[in-house]
Structures are given as C-alpha cells and as structure tokens.
DNA sequence: GACACTGTGTTTACGGTGTTTACATGCCAG
DNA sequence: CTGGCATGTAAACACCGTAAACACAGTGTC
C-alpha cells in the first residue's frame, strides 16, 4: 500500500472516529491530509472505497481486542476472555463497532465487498471455535457449535446495539454487568449441569431478582 | 395534526421506505408532495423533525404487527404470536425496522426525542409483560421478567440485525426457521422442565444437528 | 539536452444537499 | 375594503461527491 494512500486512510479513520459517518466528508478528509479534495481521487476511487478501508481497519482493531484471548490456557478462559474483549471493544470504540456491523446501504453501497463479508464470517467462525472447544471439554452441552454460537453472538450483538441506541438508561458499568448477567442467563440453557451450577454460584443468573 | 403536515408525513414515509435513509432528501420529498423544498419548512422544523415523525410511524406499524397477538387466549399463544409478528415485521419492512432501532447519530440528531425513547421502552415493556405472564402460568421459570425479556429481546434484535446486514447467506425462509430454532435454544434455559420437553418435541433445539 | 510519459497535485465546474431570506399570493376577520 | 396570517415561491448560501482540464516535477529514453 503506497505511503500517501496509507496517510489518507489514517486520516480517514481519525476523521470517522471523531466525526462519525454523517460528519465524514471527502473535503474534510482532504483538509486533514493537507491536500484538496480531488487529489484524494488519485489514491482512492471515491468515498465508498475509503470507507471500505475504514471498515477493514475496524475489523483489525476488533481482532486486536478479541484474538488476545487465544493466549489463555483453557477453552473456558479463552471463551470468557474473548467475551470480555468483545464487550471492551464495543464500549471503548462504539464507532468502530457500529461501522463493522453497518448495513451496506448505510455505507452507500449496494453490496459489501467480498473480503469484508468474509471478515464478518470470520467473526462468527471465531466464536464457533470457542463454542466447539467448550463443548469438547464438557462445559457446554454437545450440539451444533455453529448454531449455538450464532445464538450467543446474536444475543451479544443485540445487547450492544440496543445499548448504543440509548435504549438502556444506564452507564457503562451498569451495562457491563447487565451484559454479563444476560449472557450467563442465556448460556445456562447450553451449559452442562455442572457448569450451570458454577454459573449459579457466581450469582450471575439473577433468579431471585426483584420484579419490574 | 394539520392536513398538509399529514400529507408531508405520508409522502416522507413513502419516500423513506422506497429510497432508504441515504436517498431521503427534502427536495425529493418536496417534489413528491408537489411543492418546493422551502415550503416544507412551514410545516416541519427541518429534516430531523420529519424523520422523527417517520420513526414514530415506524413504531405504529410495529405495534400493528405485534399487538394483535394480545387477542390470543393464553399467555403462551400471545408470546409466540407476538414473536411471529416481530419477525414478520422485521422481514416484511426491513427499512421500518431499521429506522426504529437507528442510533440518534444516524438520524442526524444528538439525542432521540423523549417520546421516541419512550416508544423504545414500550417495546421492551410489552415483552416484559409477555414473559411475566408466561412465568405466572409456569411455562418459564420464575425470575426477573425485566431481565429475562431483555435477554430474549436482545437475541431477537441481534439475529435480525445480523441478517439485515447480510451476514447470513440464506433466504428469508431459511432465516425464519433459524430464528425460531435459535429462539427456542435460548429459551430452553428459561423454560420450566415441562415446557422444555415440549420444545424438544417440536425438534426446535437441534441437539443432534451436524457439526459445522 | 530534448522529449515524452507518469504521478500527483490544482482550479474550476456541475449537480445535489439542508436551510435561510425575502418576496408574493390568497384567504379570512374585522 | 383592508390588515393580518397562512402558505407558497425564487434566490441565495454553504456544504457535499466527483469529473474534467490543466500544471508541474521527476524519470527514463533517444
């Protein structure tokens, strides 16, 4: 990747992270780079292509938060550390999280580039692997890891989306514990009996919480 | 609500539904209404206010799909019919679904109007009620209905979002059965033993599905 | 050295956007 | 009839993405 293109991309990421998608324009980007807008077109074939590279950078940032969990020793540690990394990423970089899971329409494209689509599937594949190894060591009940991890991912993604939209009137710390508790509640259906007992001992299932 | 404002809103909904958020402009809206753009400002204080009313209309459409479930006789029927209505709405009107759960930033606002926020909480409250009455008749285990329904809602919302983003390479029918199966899997953790047996008999839990 | 080519920038321009201002028109109450 | 009000218009401003034409510096070749 040529140096000037890299510089443009770096400025583009910075601009997107501080101004969001509606505040992202080629003219502002050009000013940040130190050139005029049409010059950007020497290096990028339009705004969409710049944004596509910002999405790729978002996936890279995501991977930095989640893949470090692979250094843990056991499947269950890898699973929980990855979950923590997922939540950290979603809370510390909401704009990066949002652009990763933006529909093509929102980015002004008809279809996502194939390699970005593949990155989305990669996120899923990672969780399939975590779930599979948890099944192998008897923490989760034997089942289809693909479908089980999909259920878990959808839950986590939905929680984050609803929080980002402002539907939970609470601060980050409260949401964090809500997220963990909700995840544990959901997982109690997939967990083996012995692991479910562990979850209950962590007081994460909230079986005796007050009525709303 | 004055007649002309109503006409503008109707055209705005139509325009949004067929062109999406990026294709929605005050000038196009004005042309559809049969007027020039500045005339819209006599009735609406800017694009944001129009969009806010489109969001309100989206919530109304949502309610039409989900509230009819309240006519069913038993809590369990109300729960499942509401779930079906939720999915129908999400699949038949993806743009309405998307704008309901768009972050304020995407709509060009800093904060959502209070009444729209309240509509979001209303969606949650509806599910709290469904879950509570299922607990009362012994279909779901006794627990905090607020938190239990939140877990369920987040799961449903996450599934829909990931599907809308194109992360599931499948058609609507396949997704529909995936959604139901995933919901049943998640609910198996909240269900009483007798109800879980029912779910298993419906072959919804996919315990013996193939590996990925 | 002269030349052409290539890479990279610029200026200018076109059509689109949200929105404001100033002006016109029609209608209705006093 | 007339003033005021509701409602439209045209013109303008400041942005936006992007295309076309032009400028210039570096490089390789004859």
């Amino acid at each position: 990747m040529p140096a000037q293109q890299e510089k443009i991309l770096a400025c583009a990421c910075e601009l997107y992270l501080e101004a969001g998608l509606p505040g992202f324009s080629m003219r502002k980007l050009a000013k940040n780079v130190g050139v005029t807008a049409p010059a950007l077109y020497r290096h990028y074939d339009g705004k969409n292509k710049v944004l596509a590279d910002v999405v790729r950078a978002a996936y890279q940032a995501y991977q930095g938060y989640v893949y470090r969990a692979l250094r843990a020793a056991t499947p269950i540690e890898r699973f929980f550390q990855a979950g923590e990394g997922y939540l950290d990423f979603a809370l510390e970089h909401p704009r990066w999280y949002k652009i990763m899971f933006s529909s093509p329409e929102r980015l002004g494209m008809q279809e996502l580039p194939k390699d970005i689509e593949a990155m989305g599937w990669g996120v899923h594949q990672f969780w399939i692997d975590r779930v599979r190894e948890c099944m192998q060591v008897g923490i989760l009940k034997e089942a289809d890891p693909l479908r089980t991890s999909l259920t878990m991912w959808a839950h986590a993604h939905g929680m984050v989306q609803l929080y980002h939209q402002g539907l939970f009137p609470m601060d980050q710390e409260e949401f964090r514990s809500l997220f963990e508790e909700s995840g544990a509640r959901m997982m109690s259906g997939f967990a083996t009996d012995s692991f479910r007992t562990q979850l209950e001992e962590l007081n994460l299932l909230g079986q005796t919480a007050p009525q709303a």
Side-chain angles (χ1 to χ4, degrees), chain A:
Chain A
M1 190 167 185
Q4 182 70 339
Q5 193 175 357
E6 233 167 89
K7 184 179 173 187
I8 292 173
L9 176 55
C11 290
C13 289
E14 197 182 345
L15 177 60
Y16 165 72
L17 287 177
E18 75 184 22
L21 215 44
F24 184 92
S25 81
M26 293 298 270
R27 286 178 148 94
K28 281 186 205 165
L29 173 56
K31 185 166 288 183
N32 286 9
V33 175
V35 297
T36 56
L40 301 176
Y41 288 75
R42 298 286 177 195
H43 308 275
Y44 271 105
D45 187 17
K47 187 185 180 185
N48 287 347
K49 299 297 171 63
V50 181
L51 281 179
D53 266 4
V54 172
V55 175
R56 292 184 183 96
Y59 272 99
Q60 277 190 286
Y62 167 85
Q63 287 165 2
Y65 271 73
V66 172
Y67 281 19
R68 70 175 69 141
L70 295 180
R71 293 199 293 255
T74 65
I76 187 169
E77 283 173 319
R78 288 195 283 275
F79 181 87
F80 277 105
Q81 283 186 26
E84 210 175 317
Y86 190 95
L87 185 55
D88 286 345
F89 178 75
L91 292 180
E92 291 173 19
H93 305 291
R95 290 223 165 98
W96 259 345
Y97 187 93
K98 283 179 188 172
I99 207 175
M100 281 175 66
F101 298 111
S102 290
S103 63
E105 179 178 297
R106 186 176 171 190
L107 301 174
M109 315 171 185
Q110 283 179 315
E111 279 195 344
L112 283 177
K114 287 278 180 284
D115 66 307
I116 292 182
E117 252 184 11
M119 284 171 154
W121 301 332
V123 171
H124 189 192
Q125 187 60 53
F126 176 90
W127 287 106
I128 294 173
D129 294 341
R130 299 288 75 67
V131 165
R132 196 203 320 272
E133 63 184 15
C134 281
M135 287 175 178
Q136 281 164 354
V137 297
I139 287 166
L140 298 182
K141 283 190 276 197
E142 282 289 334
D144 181 356
L146 188 152
R147 289 162 182 267
T148 303
S149 65
L150 185 58
T151 304
M152 292 176 158
W153 184 27
H155 166 265
H157 180 58
M159 289 287 292
V160 167
Q161 285 267 346
L162 293 175
Y163 176 70
H164 278 163
Q165 198 212 339
L167 271 161
F168 302 157
M170 55 182 69
D171 64 27
Q172 278 204 12
E173 273 322 300
E174 281 180 277
F175 174 68
R176 196 178 279 273
S177 69
L178 184 70
F179 180 92
E180 285 166 9
E181 188 216 300
S182 187
R185 179 170 32 249
M186 182 198 54
M187 261 173 40
S188 70
F190 317 143
T192 55
D193 291 342
S194 71
F195 183 54
R196 182 157 52 226
T197 308
Q198 285 181 47
L199 287 175
E200 277 163 11
E201 280 166 5
L202 288 171
N203 280 330
L204 277 174
L205 294 184
Q207 298 282 358
T208 58
Q211 302 272 318

